[in-house]
Amino acid sequence: MFRHTKRVLATAVATVLAATFAPVATAAATPSTAGSSDPFYTYDSSTPLSSYAPGTVLKKRTLQYHIVGLPTPVKAVQLLYRTRDAQGRPAANVTTVVRSIKGDSGKAVSYQSFYDSLNPKDGPSRAIAGDVTLGGILANSENLFLAPLVAQGYNVVIPDTEGQRADFAAGPEYAANTLDSIRAATAPEAGTGMDADTRVGLMGYSGGAIATGWAAALAPAYAPDVNKRLVGFAEGGLLVDPAHNLKYVDGSVVWSGVIPMAIIGVARSYGIDLKQYLNSYGQQVYQDLEHGSLLDALGHYPGLTWKKLAKPQYADPNSVTAFVEAVNKINLGSAATPTVPGFIAQGAGGVVEGTFGNPPGIGRGDGVMVAGDVRALARQYCSSGNGSFAFHQYDLLGHVPVAAAWAPGAIGWLGDRFAGRPAPSDCGHIPPGNSLAPESPTSVS
């Protein structure tokens, strides 16, 4: 569909292999700088964090880029910067910048990772700094996507999208972390070679698509200075309406573990106590996954349902008013339409990944993400005055294989935007989807 796909994939494989098997001479003596005790992640100045503008660089360091704990010759700049959390409170977060191998300061891709974890130690910045954790394996695997971006001369910005508390699935917070990361990475004091004129593309799959989609939607209001530099966003495997996703994966073989992850993520992000609505088994699962990653959840709870976790009177998740209010806050269908072009891909073959659900008004998806929700969002964008949206649905593929199909197309699509070519549009050809209206609480709770 897009040019240079084979060349990009070949470059990706070659670059990753070269980086992985070319450790520096002092590798054996190089300790990891990541971990829970790493002081770099702590804002420790006496100046109130709230006194700084979002995107302000608070700390800076340069280190070797690590892959599964092995240092490579590639240098990375890491920045601690000011942002905000899901509740709008000032927060400090970390992003990583890999500078263009061509020395080009004019273009950058902000790559949002799909590390999907409730443990801050699994963030991409820690994996890059050398920390090796189970959840961090996902961030390490994404080097296959990052390598072609570096090889093609982009500056690559990799924010810890979930923040330092790992506020899983909190889209608005993901957006702030992403947009303020771009501000920090292009600030003069960052020393990355980029500046306020650097053009930026957004890219992310699955959990990375949460950050990408929300950042594109909130940029005009939250970060107009960044929005004017965006060339577009490319995303796949998109979470739109979390309430629908929970019903879709209910009882699935592999993906049902995201149900407790979502409960924990929502509770943590918005400061609400959801454990009081869970039965003894639900509270045990909550405790087991409270600091877990997607790899701790996938396939570990086959057949799990909301009802198995909740007390009998809360068998309907909409009976928990606080939960309904929180998931409505992270419904992307309620956010604004991005003002820049977009490329959206979604799978619909979730049965191959053990998700057989087909709930009324929700339908099928890729195993975890709901295809009808993504179609509805794309159609909503098209009807809102911005027709520069490309959309592709892979009917026979599940969530995992779509990532491999999506990545080369996303890179090619972004390359065309940087080159100034007109954005293609599938508006008018996207099949109907679901209602994205906010959920209404039922009578209990």
Side-chain angles (χ1 to χ4, degrees), residues 174-242:
Y174 282 31
N177 286 328
T178 299
L179 295 168
D180 289 331
S181 159
I182 295 170
R183 283 168 161 162
T186 57
E189 59 269 28
T192 62
M194 295 183 285
D195 55 34
D197 294 323
T198 300
R199 295 180 300 155
V200 182
L202 301 172
M203 179 178 172
Y205 187 81
S206 191
I210 298 176
T212 299
W214 276 96
L218 298 188
Y222 180 75
D225 54 313
V226 174
N227 190 67
K228 68 181 182 181
R229 295 189 276 144
L230 293 181
V231 301
F233 66 98
E235 61 189 4
L238 181 59
L239 174 68
V240 180
D241 185 341

Side-chain angles (χ1 to χ4, degrees), residues 26-202:
T26 57
T30 304
S32 166
T33 57
S36 58
S37 61
D38 189 344
F40 181 76
Y41 289 80
T42 302
Y43 176 69
D44 48 15
S45 171
S46 60
T47 303
L49 189 57
S50 59
S51 66
Y52 295 106
T56 299
V57 176
L58 306 171
K59 291 182 182 179
K60 171 187 171 183
R61 69 180 179 187
T62 300
L63 42 70
Q64 292 161 259
Y65 193 108
H66 289 71
I67 298 178
V68 290
L70 297 175
T72 75
V74 176
K75 295 290 186 180
V77 176
Q78 293 193 325
L79 307 170
L80 183 76
Y81 63 97
R82 197 275 209 197
T83 185
R84 71 179 188 186
D85 67 10
Q87 299 177 58
R89 300 172 299 191
N93 194 43
V94 173
T95 191
T96 303
V97 179
V98 179
R99 298 183 63 173
S100 167
I101 59 175
K102 297 181 179 180
D104 185 354
S105 64
K107 61 181 184 179
V109 171
S110 179
Y111 179 86
Q112 287 62 251
S113 169
F114 52 67
Y115 64 105
D116 296 345
S117 179
L118 292 160
N119 188 342
K121 296 180 184 179
D122 295 336
S125 70
R126 293 180 183 269
I128 290 168
D131 207 11
V132 181
T133 63
L134 175 64
I137 291 175
L138 291 174
N140 276 292
S141 71
E142 291 177 286
N143 288 298
L144 187 62
F145 297 160
L146 294 170
L149 295 172
V150 175
Q152 291 185 25
Y154 294 106
N155 295 278
V156 181
V157 184
I158 312 162
D160 287 1
T161 54
E162 297 183 9
Q164 293 212 57
R165 297 189 313 168
D167 286 343
F168 174 70
E173 178 175 341
Y174 282 31
N177 286 328
T178 299
L179 295 168
D180 289 331
S181 159
I182 295 170
R183 283 168 161 162
T186 57
E189 59 269 28
T192 62
M194 295 183 285
D195 55 34
D197 294 323
T198 300
R199 295 180 300 155
V200 182
L202 301 172

